[in-house]
Amino acid sequence: MIELLATLAFTVPLIGGLVLFKLDGRKADAVMLSSFTLAMLLQLAVSLLYHAPVHVAYLETERFGEVYGIIIDPMSVLIGTVVAVAGFIFMFYGVEYMSERNVGHPVKGGKGLFYAWMTLFEGATLGFIYSSTFLGLLVFFELMGLACWGVVSYYGTPAGQRAGFKAFIIPNVGAMIGFYTAIYIGITQLHDLSLFSLSKVSPEVKPWLFLALLIAGYTKSAQFPTYSWIPDAMEAPTPASAFLHGAAMVEMGVYLVARVIQFIGPLPVWVFYFMAIMVSLTLLIPILNYPVQKDAKRLLAYSTVAEAGIMFVALTYAVLGSEIGLKAAMFQLTTHAFVKGLAFLTAGTFTYSLGTLDLRRISGLREVLPINGLAWTVALLGLAGLPPMVIAFSKAEILLNVSLVGISALAWLPILMLLADSAVFLWVGLKWITRNVFGRPVVERAQTHPIITASLLILIVLSLVSAYLAYPLVEEITYGVVP
Amino acid sequence: MNLELSLALLFIGSLSALVIGRRAFAIIALSSVPVFMAANGELEGEIIPFLPTTFRVDALSSLFLMVLAVVILAVSLYGLVYPLPRFTVLGTGMAFLSALLFLVTDNIERLTLAYELFVVFTGVMLLGFNPRRAWRYLVVQQVFGIIPLLVATGLAYGAVGDLHHLTFHALHESLTRLPVKGDFLLVLFLLAALVRSGVFPLHSWVTKVYSSVPSPLVPVLIFGEALGFYLLLRVSHFALPAPEWLGYLVAFLGSVSTFSTLYSFREVRLKRKFARHSVMDVGIAYFALGVSIVLQGTFLGTVALLGALLHILYQVIYKGAVYFGLGAIEYYGENPTVCSLRRLLRGHVVALLITLSAFSLAAVPPLSAFMSRWLVYMAPLGTGDVLLWLMAVAVAFSGLFPLASIIQVRRINRLICRGEVEREELPLAIRAVTGGMAFLGFVVSVFPFLLLPWLKASIEELHYPLPESPVALFFAHPSSAIALTFLLGSLFVGLRVGRLPTERVSELLLIFYSIGDLLRSTVELFLDGAKSLYIAYVLPVIKVVPRYEVPVIRDYDDALDYPVRHLDEAMFMPLIRFLSKDRFPERDMTALMLLLVTFLGLIVVAMGVVG
């Protein structure tokens, strides 16, 4: 039963997405919302029914072993639920955002195309999460890339087209390095494409295979040195940005590496050194860029680079054998999805209500748009890691890994970079909160809509409670999966 | 049960503030009853079902809980009649909740969380009145308080290995498994304590924040100072072995902090003036705590520790009463300055009560600070330790200025504030709370035996020699006479100094003011230097800034309009252009793709060969 529900959770939006290419207007709204709602309900049913890991091989051959299949375990159930719930909220908001009432980006027609890409995106992401083979992962990885190109270049501006192209190409480069290597080794050495076969890879090849898959993860998650596609991808409509940054594209790179670490077994310590240095370099980029960003979405994009980096900090420790690192990475992924979603949707309301994303031109939200002001405050303080917002809890869990300094002094470096990132973001975030929320209003009135307000309120609540809801599943995440 | 009830009432009260505004203080006030009851008895167990938190209420936390109950009750009753924005009421209630959690939990991770929550919600209290100050307050607390505590928690976890049982006791039992030296952990906790308490060199936020929030809310922050003290006391005496150097360091920082009172002399804004005194009072408590660490295990160590505890708790009460009094001036719609005191002084009993509290602060016998400072001076002066003597003399020197400063307020008031003012009525709650706090401060200082059982019990676990009675405590050592001489002498000198013209005293204190200015300039120099380095060297790398424009950029905001330079593109493009022999920018992405695809193909083949 649970395997059927999980399969439907990603096939329903995939089918819905294909149908939406031919629709527009209210019909498109209805089909898109139905797809997202159904996917969310199915996913919630999976999380409620889940009690033990399940592995289903859908296609097996003699030469390639398991070709397609799914794994339902705490990690996939947790992240699948996050994607489905966040995706639904973002697109519920998207119904109003993609309307003529949007001051900055009024949409008169053609939103069916956007919905189609977004719904496909959701299906591909859920499919990726449940896949148990490298071929399955590759197929959904490419579908995600395609959908990403579709949504980023949706407005058709030169900047949007360039950004869409970049968002498609760079993760593809990673996919070619990682997945083709894995599939090649799976076919030639193991005769099995399943993730379970990872532990059978010879010790000499294992770290190199891991590195190849790590590069795939890095490109998807906009890590150094391939980070710039994500700040450029803010050309996408805001609900897509929220999904890209908060729940899907960027997070799936982290999820991929976490999955590999879960199955691959012990790795040599130099892999830890490599990851520690790379993640520290990644974190340096947003730290240097935060103080001089004026565009709300671009500021948040740099924060995404950092937050994904922070998830990789946890995975860096997981490579050293810290199970709490693996748990913390998924915990951070969960909490970040809602807080970053809130931040993006609030930034979207600046476009919707005020027609600008220039933070210097947004002032006095406290009086003009109080709920939006509250959301902006909660989101920025939450991203800086202050409690009671949920990222504080996941970051605290990552910081527990500092105890590994006994194994290598290099373990200090990622932690110190993480803390520096939090401090600098707090400083910059508070600077903008002071101006945007508490400054003198630049307009007397600004329009909003109940759908927008409701979406923000739901995300504010989730930014405060999602850690408590997710923690039982986070606790169950372990190395290896025994169905 | 009492703890759960108080947490629930605080939570519900705080949230309901969003709907019913300041009337929510009625619910928050109710929580003081179970807090007070929880303080009367040792408790142990687990609270908060959705965030299981182990707690242990021992005599030490009971002592602080009692004071917290008083502060909750007083602030809430006052808040019922004082106009405050809704989210300020929410912030106040949640700050109380955080403080309660901080005091009762024995889990280091939860304590860190409570510390963070306290910072955030006191920041929320401030946000509505001065967002810029709230911004700076939060950043300072984050960098010097929260981050060190988080790192300390991670390191402690490395030793204990179990998050749920990461208690002070468990840490004490697992010190050999610490991944770093225990001294490093102590420094991290010390930093968090110093910034929470506003002790030198992390004291600069105190005056700015106290002068920005409404006076009736300042007692919440003053209690926060006590929380920092509690943290350091808990860690240094119950979890980690406190070495002698820590004692000297804490005593030194405390004694330097007492010099803050010198700055109060040139201050006519009363909130800032008393904030300076607050830094001094906390400095005295830290000085005594440092002395107790140096002298730990001896009777004089006990005297110092009891002096420190008495002083930190007394100051919450008498300083709270002073700020409640200043709140009455704000209630009239005026800023509390030396002149605006006149309206309050006109026939109000509140004026008498403020005076009583101000004299407590000035260590006039037999009021609060006199009693606690008696013990604080007695301990170091009873040793032959030159360093402790020097520091004690320094503390005694700065101790003459509170009285001088109060006399000066009276003198200036008579001198320059000549306009006639009319008497205005004050609500009963304001009068009752101010009076109640002042009376409480008076009672517990004049009858110290009331508190002695709690004080003794709170350090019983440390196996220090304990006094039998207050007499045995206050006359424990011949140095008691020297301490009394110091105290009375400083009062006499303070009286004389207070009568001198302000300019004359300022000239005498110029050297101290210059040192303060020098320290402030040094900090600003470092911050400006970091900004200049960023603009000169980092900005041209991350943004496309013409070289000739760099010198005219003065601030981060000046650089907002320059386009972003993507380092990854900048890194790869020259190589691609070179290899593709293609100089046309619009074709760069295609060239990049072709090159990388070729490169990837090679990698895949190479991996296959390795495989």
Side-chain angles (χ1 to χ4, degrees):
Chain A
M1 178 64 178
I2 194 168
E3 54 269 33
L4 177 65
L5 291 173
T7 311
L8 283 172
F10 66 85
T11 46
V12 165
L14 284 175
I15 295 164
L18 291 175
V19 173
L20 277 161
F21 278 109
K22 288 284 175 195
L23 299 177
D24 205 354
R26 285 192 176 178
K27 280 185 188 169
D29 285 342
V31 173
M32 181 276 289
L33 269 184
S34 309
S35 304
F36 272 89
T37 310
L38 207 52
M40 181 178 70
L41 292 175
L42 288 163
Q43 186 54 49
L44 286 173
V46 171
S47 63
L48 287 174
L49 293 174
Y50 175 77
H51 56 89
V54 177
H55 172 221
V56 184
Y58 282 138
L59 178 64
E60 283 181 293
T61 68
E62 200 174 315
R63 191 166 168 205
F64 301 141
E66 185 185 338
V67 181
Y68 291 109
I70 58 169
I71 306 173
I72 303 167
D73 68 331
M75 196 189 277
S76 55
V77 172
L78 173 68
I79 306 304
T81 310
V82 170
V83 169
V85 173
F88 169 76
I89 299 168
F90 300 162
M91 291 315 290
F92 173 66
Y93 165 99
V95 171
E96 180 52 31
Y97 186 86
M98 302 300 285
S99 73
E100 286 185 28
R101 289 177 290 278
N102 187 329
V103 176
H105 279 299
V107 177
K108 292 185 176 131
K111 63 181 174 182
L113 179 66
F114 172 68
Y115 287 167
W117 284 125
M118 281 302 292
T119 317
L120 268 182
F121 208 157
E122 161 117 330
T125 308
L126 288 170
F128 184 82
I129 288 166
Y130 282 114
S131 285
S132 62
T133 69
F134 282 107
L135 199 58
L137 286 170
L138 176 65
V139 169
F140 288 117
F141 191 97
E142 295 290 9
L143 260 178
M144 274 194 279
L146 196 65
C148 184
W149 168 78
V151 294
V152 174
S153 53
Y154 171 74
Y155 285 129
T157 58
Q161 284 181 337
R162 185 178 190 275
F165 188 50
K166 210 168 156 183
F168 179 69
I169 289 296
I170 291 176
N172 249 289
V173 169
M176 290 175 80
I177 295 176
F179 287 113
Y180 290 113
T181 307
I183 290 168
Y184 184 85
I185 291 172
I187 293 171
T188 56
Q189 286 193 6
L190 310 169
H191 306 291
D192 190 359
L193 294 176
S194 158
L195 283 169
F196 290 94
S197 67
L198 268 176
S199 58
K200 297 176 202 149
V201 178
S202 66
E204 299 80 39
V205 178
K206 202 182 263 188
W208 299 101
L209 172 61
F210 177 75
L211 228 52
L213 287 162
L214 185 65
I215 290 168
Y218 278 169
T219 53
K220 198 84 169 163
S221 295
Q223 298 294 286
F224 183 82
T226 55
Y227 70 94
S228 71
W229 70 265
I230 196 78
D232 284 354
M234 61 151 200
E235 294 294 331
T238 298
S241 300
F243 197 57
L244 263 172
H245 291 253
M249 192 78 170
V250 173
E251 276 63 23
M252 287 309 107
V254 178
Y255 180 81
L256 168 68
V257 176
R259 264 289 190 228
V260 174
I261 291 173
Q262 204 181 16
F263 285 97
I264 204 165
L267 288 161
V269 74
W270 66 259
V271 175
F272 163 75
Y273 295 143
F274 175 78
M275 286 180 76
I277 290 165
M278 291 303 284
V279 82
S280 302
L281 286 171
T282 300
L283 286 169
L284 190 61
I285 287 162
I287 290 172
L288 296 178
N289 275 283
Y290 289 144
V292 285
Q293 299 307 314
K294 61 171 182 179
D295 184 290
K297 281 173 77 175
R298 198 174 275 276
L299 175 70
L300 296 177
Y302 279 108
S303 143
T304 301
V305 175
E307 294 296 330
I310 288 167
M311 295 170 210
F312 273 109
V313 168
L315 291 179
T316 303
Y317 296 114
V319 164
L320 268 189
S322 161
E323 198 166 80
I324 206 159
L326 192 65
K327 290 177 202 282
M330 293 301 102
F331 196 20
Q332 171 77 4
L333 197 159
T334 306
T335 57
H336 172 250
F338 298 110
V339 181
K340 184 52 68 63
L342 176 65
F344 265 104
L345 295 200
T346 313
T349 66
F350 300 156
T351 312
Y352 178 90
S353 302
L354 305 168
T356 182
L357 281 169
D358 189 335
L359 290 165
R360 293 169 301 181
R361 294 172 56 201
I362 300 160
S363 188
L365 291 174
R366 185 186 170 191
E367 289 166 41
V368 182
L369 295 163
I371 300 290
N372 307 45
L374 175 69
W376 191 234
T377 308
V378 169
L380 292 190
L381 294 183
L383 287 171
L386 287 189
M389 281 66 79
V390 287
I391 287 185
F393 299 95
S394 50
K395 274 190 184 167
E397 183 139 332
I398 293 172
L399 286 173
L400 294 179
N401 290 289
V402 78
S403 54
L404 294 173
V405 291
I407 297 175
S408 167
L410 194 67
W412 276 113
L413 186 62
I415 288 287
L416 291 176
M417 293 302 289
L418 181 159
L419 294 171
D421 173 78
S422 299
V424 176
F425 190 84
L426 179 68
W427 167 51
V428 174
L430 282 167
K431 182 179 94 172
W432 289 120
I433 290 170
T434 307
R435 292 190 196 181
N436 305 150
V437 182
F438 295 94
R440 188 175 297 169
V442 284
V443 288
E444 279 183 15
R445 286 186 65 191
Q447 59 146 359
T448 186
H449 192 276
I451 288 183
I452 302 261
T453 307
S455 309
L456 296 183
L457 286 173
I458 292 168
L459 279 172
I460 289 173
V461 172
L462 284 170
S463 296
L464 295 170
V465 303
S466 57
Y468 310 113
L469 302 176
Y471 202 68
L473 275 172
V474 171
E475 278 281 84
E476 285 185 43
I477 294 171
T478 54
Y479 285 111
V481 175
V482 185
Chain B
M1 182 61 190
N2 284 321
L3 282 178
E4 280 99 333
L5 183 61
S6 45
L7 286 170
L9 284 170
L10 284 169
F11 188 69
I12 294 165
S14 306
L15 285 191
S16 59
L18 292 174
V19 184
I20 58 173
R22 69 183 186 210
R23 278 173 291 169
F25 270 127
I27 305 170
I28 295 172
L30 278 179
S31 70
S32 64
V33 178
V35 171
F36 191 79
M37 287 164 77
N40 287 291
E42 302 222 340
L43 303 167
E44 212 167 336
E46 200 170 273
I47 41 173
I48 318 178
F50 57 90
L51 188 70
T53 303
T54 54
F55 71 89
R56 183 166 176 265
V57 179
D58 57 8
L60 180 64
S61 34
S62 289
L63 196 61
F64 283 79
L65 278 178
M66 276 194 297
V67 180
L68 176 65
V70 171
V71 175
I72 292 176
L73 185 65
V75 171
S76 306
L77 292 178
Y78 205 109
L80 278 171
V81 294
Y82 193 93
L84 288 169
R86 289 175 181 200
F87 65 89
T88 305
V89 182
L90 177 140
T92 310
M94 291 302 285
F96 284 139
L97 188 149
S98 320
L100 176 60
L101 200 59
F102 188 90
L103 289 174
V104 299
T105 185
D106 63 345
N107 183 302
I108 297 172
E109 197 235 2
R110 297 293 190 263
L111 177 124
T112 304
L113 174 66
Y115 183 103
E116 289 182 79
L117 288 172
F118 189 81
V119 169
V120 171
F121 287 111
T122 44
V124 170
M125 281 163 50
L126 183 57
L127 212 53
F129 304 99
N130 193 331
R132 286 186 74 81
R133 293 245 163 103
W135 161 25
R136 289 181 185 170
Y137 167 73
L138 285 171
V139 171
V140 167
Q141 295 287 330
Q142 158 97 341
V143 172
F144 297 104
I146 294 174
I147 287 178
L149 260 190
L150 285 168
V151 175
T153 306
L155 292 169
Y157 170 77
V160 177
D162 180 354
L163 207 53
H164 192 62
H165 297 103
L166 187 56
T167 60
F168 289 109
H169 181 71
L171 176 61
H172 189 71
E173 298 291 306
S174 322
L175 288 175
T176 51
R177 292 200 295 275
L178 263 179
V180 293
K181 283 188 175 175
D183 289 358
F184 181 66
L185 213 57
L186 270 174
V187 170
L188 294 172
F189 281 117
L190 175 65
L191 272 173
L194 292 179
V195 75
R196 182 65 268 146
S197 296
V199 174
F200 176 85
L202 302 171
H203 63 288
S204 62
W205 63 269
V206 175
T207 41
K208 291 169 187 146
V209 169
Y210 284 20
S211 57
S212 299
V213 292
S215 295
L217 299 184
V218 174
V220 183
L221 293 158
I222 296 176
F223 189 78
E225 293 176 353
L227 290 181
F229 177 90
Y230 170 84
L231 171 68
L232 188 60
L233 175 58
R234 181 63 81 186
V235 170
S236 62
H237 284 79
F238 291 83
L240 295 165
E244 207 175 58
W245 66 260
L246 180 78
Y248 283 113
L249 179 64
V250 172
F252 173 73
L253 296 174
S255 58
V256 175
S257 301
T258 62
F259 284 87
S260 169
T261 191
L262 271 54
Y263 290 84
S264 72
F265 214 80
R266 60 177 182 186
E267 194 62 74
V268 291
R269 291 163 294 183
L270 294 179
K271 286 168 83 174
R272 292 179 77 94
K273 189 184 261 296
F274 284 110
R276 302 272 187 203
H277 290 312
S278 195
V279 176
M280 180 202 74
D281 275 328
V282 174
I284 292 174
Y286 269 72
F287 166 69
L289 180 61
V291 172
S292 79
I293 293 171
V294 175
L295 305 176
Q296 59 189 309
T298 66
F299 189 73
L300 283 177
T302 308
V303 171
L305 193 54
L306 292 177
L309 275 169
L310 266 182
H311 197 75
I312 198 81
L313 297 178
Y314 277 170
Q315 76 113 14
V316 175
I317 295 168
Y318 63 67
K319 206 75 63 52
V322 168
Y323 274 99
F324 285 135
L326 299 184
I329 301 175
E330 287 177 337
Y331 184 82
Y332 291 144
E334 290 183 26
N335 270 331
T337 60
V338 172
C339 286
S340 59
L341 262 179
R342 286 173 72 82
R343 191 189 293 271
L344 200 62
L345 291 170
R346 251 189 115 73
H348 268 306
V349 70
V350 175
L352 181 71
L353 298 169
I354 294 182
T355 312
L356 186 66
S357 302
F359 281 133
S360 294
L361 182 153
V364 172
L367 300 175
S368 307
F370 178 84
M371 304 304 281
S372 52
R373 273 154 70 173
W374 185 349
L375 298 179
V376 171
Y377 293 163
M378 192 204 311
L381 297 176
T383 67
D385 192 317
V386 180
L387 283 175
L388 294 186
W389 258 85
L390 284 173
M391 287 190 265
V393 169
V395 172
F397 166 71
S398 48
L400 65 92
F401 285 92
L403 183 64
S405 163
I406 290 162
I407 302 292
Q408 181 219 27
V409 169
R410 191 165 165 268
R411 188 173 53 76
I412 293 178
N413 193 293
R414 286 186 174 171
L415 204 65
I416 62 169
C417 312
R418 293 183 183 279
E420 274 301 309
V421 287
E422 291 195 3
R423 185 173 188 272
E424 274 187 47
E425 278 308 314
L426 283 170
L428 175 67
I430 291 183
R431 284 179 283 148
V433 169
T434 312
M437 283 293 267
F439 182 70
L440 182 66
F442 177 76
V443 170
V444 293
S445 58
V446 177
F447 306 106
F449 60 86
L450 289 174
L451 279 179
L452 200 62
W454 276 286
L455 285 170
K456 279 166 64 178
S458 62
I459 58 170
E460 211 160 15
E461 268 186 56
L462 300 172
H463 307 297
Y464 275 27
L466 294 170
E468 293 291 325
S469 64
V471 176
L473 176 64
F474 283 92
F475 297 97
H477 195 272
S479 60
S480 175
I482 311 175
L484 273 175
T485 312
F486 268 46
L487 273 167
L488 296 172
S490 64
L491 282 174
F492 176 71
V493 180
L495 208 61
R496 301 290 297 269
V497 171
R499 287 176 181 159
L500 289 174
T502 308
E503 309 79 53
R504 177 84 186 103
V505 180
S506 294
E507 277 172 27
L508 291 172
L509 297 177
L510 198 60
I511 183 161
F512 294 105
Y513 294 157
S514 304
I515 292 170
D517 293 343
L518 190 69
L519 285 172
R520 193 166 36 251
S521 309
T522 311
V523 172
E524 281 169 8
L525 188 73
F526 274 107
L527 291 176
D528 287 344
K531 191 196 286 182
S532 303
L533 283 175
Y534 178 87
I535 290 169
Y537 298 105
V538 176
L539 190 64
V541 177
I542 60 169
K543 286 213 156 187
V544 186
V545 185
R547 194 179 292 255
Y548 58 88
E549 287 188 22
V550 173
V552 297
I553 299 174
R554 294 271 171 251
D555 204 351
Y556 301 106
D557 283 4
D558 300 338
L560 292 176
D561 282 322
Y562 294 103
V564 174
R565 187 199 305 276
H566 290 316
L567 297 184
D568 50 357
E569 283 187 10
M571 276 164 58
F572 291 126
M573 282 308 166
L575 178 69
I576 293 158
R577 288 198 189 109
F578 174 75
L579 291 174
S580 64
K581 293 187 177 15
D582 187 340
R583 306 282 169 181
F584 299 103
E586 65 270 22
R587 295 178 66 183
D588 281 349
M589 283 306 294
T590 314
L592 171 69
M593 188 173 67
L594 283 174
L595 180 74
L596 286 180
V597 166
T598 316
F599 176 70
L600 288 176
L602 287 171
I603 293 267
V604 172
V605 172
M607 289 303 297
V609 171
V610 173

